[in-house]
Amino acid sequence: MENSAKKNGNLVAIIVMFFIYAMISFVTNLAAPIGTIWGYQFEGNSVLGMLGNMMNFLAYLFMGIPAGNLLVKIGYKKTALWALAVGIIGLFIQYLSSVVGAETVVMNFSSTTAEGAAVTFPITLNFFIYLLGAFVCGFCVCMLNTVVCPMLNFLGGGGNRGNQLLQSAGSFNSLTGTLTPAFVGALIGVLSKDTMIGAVTPLLFIGIAIFVVAFIILCFVAIPEPNLKKGNKKVKYSHSPWNFRHTVLGVIGIFFYVGIEIGIPGTLNFYLADQGVNGAGIIGEASTIAGAIVAVYWLFMLVGRTLSGFISGSVSSRTQLIVVSTTAIILIIFAIFIPKTATFPVPEVIYEGGAQVPVSAFLLILCGLCTSIMWGGIFNLAVEGLGKYTAQASGIFMMMVVGGGVMPLIQNAIAHAAGYMVSYWLVVAMLAYLLFYGLIGSKNVNTDIPVDEEAVDPLNL
């Protein structure tokens, strides 16, 4: 009876973690498509357009380690509840940017267009309010990620089974990631300088409502608390996650991975929208088509994670990471060299109005099949053998998710200076590092460090 009750309790906890993982993607994937609105207002400046995405991920840098400490101090459930409350506030601030400060000019920004022409445009107060909202939402998703990843790995017992749960949960994450840019693109419609963030407020209100419901439900759900076994007694660890080479290299891998995952579709969104503006490739409503195409990238991530969820019980994380890193490198190199004049028709199921998009875009969205399994695989490999240090390591990992803001911003700066396809060489370089991690860096060479809870003194955080 006791084992049965434990299994049922674990099942409920797994379902809750799956749901939270889906919400993480919803909040995160609002930033890039909304950025096309700001980018268009700023004379097509994709770097400014991606600042919301940057602020979302910059929050990880500040909240990652504190979130890991929260897991140790107050447990998984309370950390998740705090995260949901913060998410409600962040989404509401983003809504405020649609009704406050649109007429107040804070500063004038000078830039150059892709053709080299000098332009100056005003940056209004509501843009900074939006950036603040994106930053606060970043705190939310950082805390939620810190909860979900180690909890699913724990519930799965680590190893292949832990990775299997992470990949299965990732399927729900990718589902909302697929729907969000498509919804944003549909709400925006034809992109123009008259398009304001108010166009996407329905999604913000939906997000707030979901967070409120999730908060209420989570209040009544029991979540395992492996870090609170000793009650209020605190322990002091003799080592830290930084003492494990495979963990440190994995932390770097997470930084690059999130830059890859966000950079591929984020830059592609601007590329496709820009093709429509310039009449050089897309026929039809550029923003809607761009959103629909990018949504397919997240759909492929959904497919990839679903498939990985089935095979991860028997195929190691290391093998999967090596295969998908190699495949993604090949796809992106082909995408870089194929001329943008080579196009293919968008299927009616994706965009009813009909359109032509570059073949390179198709190769880039195919990368979703590859990036889909990387997060779970890297996390699983990097925390393998950490034992009691896993919660602290999770916080460090979340801190490095800032790569999802830093690297796409660098990529868009390269795109602005040298061209969109040239910027994808940065992605190739990051994928090469992940290939190295899978081949060599993921091996635990610090097995002499004791990781059992009983082997140490009380923690003083």
Side-chain angles (χ1 to χ4, degrees):
M1 287 292 290
E2 184 177 345
N3 287 337
S4 177
K6 183 178 179 181
K7 286 182 180 179
N8 290 335
N10 285 351
L11 179 60
V12 172
I14 289 171
I15 293 172
V16 171
M17 292 301 113
F18 276 29
F19 181 70
I20 290 177
Y21 213 176
M23 294 162 61
I24 290 170
S25 184
F26 171 80
V27 175
T28 302
N29 284 286
L30 282 173
I34 289 179
T36 61
I37 298 177
W38 298 110
Y40 203 100
Q41 290 182 23
F42 300 147
E43 304 294 336
N45 193 307
S46 60
V47 177
L48 286 177
M50 285 295 283
L51 274 183
N53 180 75
M54 171 64 185
M55 294 301 290
N56 193 279
F57 284 97
L58 182 63
Y60 280 82
L61 183 62
F62 295 95
M63 195 62 205
I65 291 179
N69 290 341
L70 281 175
L71 291 189
V72 178
K73 284 188 171 183
I74 66 175
Y76 287 83
K77 180 174 177 176
K78 289 183 179 179
T79 302
L81 288 172
W82 274 107
L84 293 172
V86 171
I88 293 169
I89 295 171
L91 289 173
F92 184 72
I93 293 174
Q94 290 192 59
Y95 160 71
L96 287 180
S97 71
S98 68
V99 296
V100 177
E103 304 300 324
T104 305
V105 177
V106 176
M107 60 181 292
N108 290 306
F109 188 86
S110 298
S111 180
T112 57
T113 65
E115 291 77 24
V119 292
T120 300
F121 45 83
I123 298 181
T124 53
L125 177 62
N126 67 326
F127 178 62
F128 290 96
I129 295 174
Y130 161 71
L131 293 181
L132 175 62
F135 187 65
V136 174
C137 280
F139 282 126
C140 162
V141 291
C142 175
M143 295 167 71
L144 290 178
N145 257 317
T146 308
V147 169
V148 170
C149 293
M151 176 52 65
L152 286 173
N153 202 54
F154 168 77
L155 291 170
N160 286 1
R161 174 61 178 160
N163 185 42
Q164 190 170 32
L165 275 185
L166 283 168
Q167 300 301 348
S168 298
S171 299
F172 290 88
N173 180 275
S174 297
L175 177 61
T176 52
T178 300
L179 297 176
T180 301
F183 285 154
V184 173
L187 288 171
I188 292 174
V190 180
L191 194 63
S192 71
K193 288 189 176 181
D194 295 325
T195 306
M196 300 294 175
I197 191 174
V200 298
T201 52
L203 273 184
L204 298 178
F205 283 122
I206 290 172
I208 291 172
I210 292 174
F211 272 49
V212 170
V213 172
F215 185 94
I216 295 172
I217 292 174
L218 188 58
C219 286
F220 298 96
V221 173
I223 301 294
E225 299 289 358
N227 297 312
L228 300 181
K229 290 179 181 178
K230 297 181 181 294
N232 292 324
K233 188 178 181 182
K234 297 182 178 181
V235 295
K236 184 177 182 180
Y237 294 155
S238 57
H239 293 80
S240 79
W242 295 109
N243 294 119
F244 295 83
R245 191 197 72 169
H246 73 294
T247 301
V248 173
L249 295 178
V251 165
I252 299 172
I254 285 291
F255 180 86
F256 286 148
Y257 160 69
V258 188
I260 294 166
E261 181 193 283
I262 302 299
I264 291 175
T267 303
L268 178 61
N269 208 330
F270 282 106
Y271 172 60
L272 294 177
D274 190 51
Q275 293 295 292
V277 171
N278 295 329
I282 296 178
I283 303 170
E285 299 176 347
S287 180
T288 303
I289 299 171
I293 295 298
V294 171
V296 177
Y297 169 88
W298 296 102
L299 178 62
F300 280 145
M301 286 195 69
L302 168 62
V303 173
R305 283 173 169 169
T306 302
L307 292 174
S308 181
F310 283 109
I311 68 173
S312 290
S314 55
V315 180
S316 71
S317 302
R318 180 175 178 270
T319 299
Q320 292 185 55
L321 183 60
I322 292 171
V323 170
V324 297
S325 297
T326 304
T327 303
I329 289 172
I330 293 171
L331 287 172
I332 293 179
I333 290 177
F334 272 112
I336 291 171
F337 285 106
I338 289 180
K340 67 180 180 181
T341 52
T343 63
F344 72 98
V346 177
E348 291 287 325
V349 68
I350 297 177
Y351 181 68
E352 190 174 346
Q356 296 285 329
V357 299
V359 173
S360 57
F362 176 71
L363 295 175
L364 291 173
I365 62 176
L366 272 178
C367 289
L369 290 170
C370 302
T371 57
S372 62
I373 69 98
M374 290 179 178
W375 171 273
I378 296 169
F379 185 88
N380 180 257
L381 288 169
V383 301
E384 191 67 24
L386 288 192
K388 65 195 176 189
Y389 300 107
T390 300
Q392 290 175 310
S394 180
I396 295 171
F397 274 104
M398 294 313 116
M399 178 182 70
M400 298 309 290
V401 172
V402 69
V406 174
M407 301 313 294
L409 198 64
I410 294 174
Q411 185 182 351
N412 275 273
I414 296 172
H416 188 69
Y420 287 104
M421 287 299 107
V422 174
S423 74
Y424 279 96
W425 281 113
L426 177 64
V427 179
V428 171
M430 292 187 288
L431 285 167
Y433 176 85
L434 296 187
L435 179 58
F436 153 77
Y437 184 68
L439 290 169
I440 301 171
S442 58
K443 182 180 179 181
N444 183 2
V445 297
N446 303 107
T447 53
D448 57 320
I449 299 177
V451 296
D452 294 331
E453 196 68 45
E454 294 75 16
V456 292
D457 306 326
L459 172 58
N460 186 15
L461 286 176

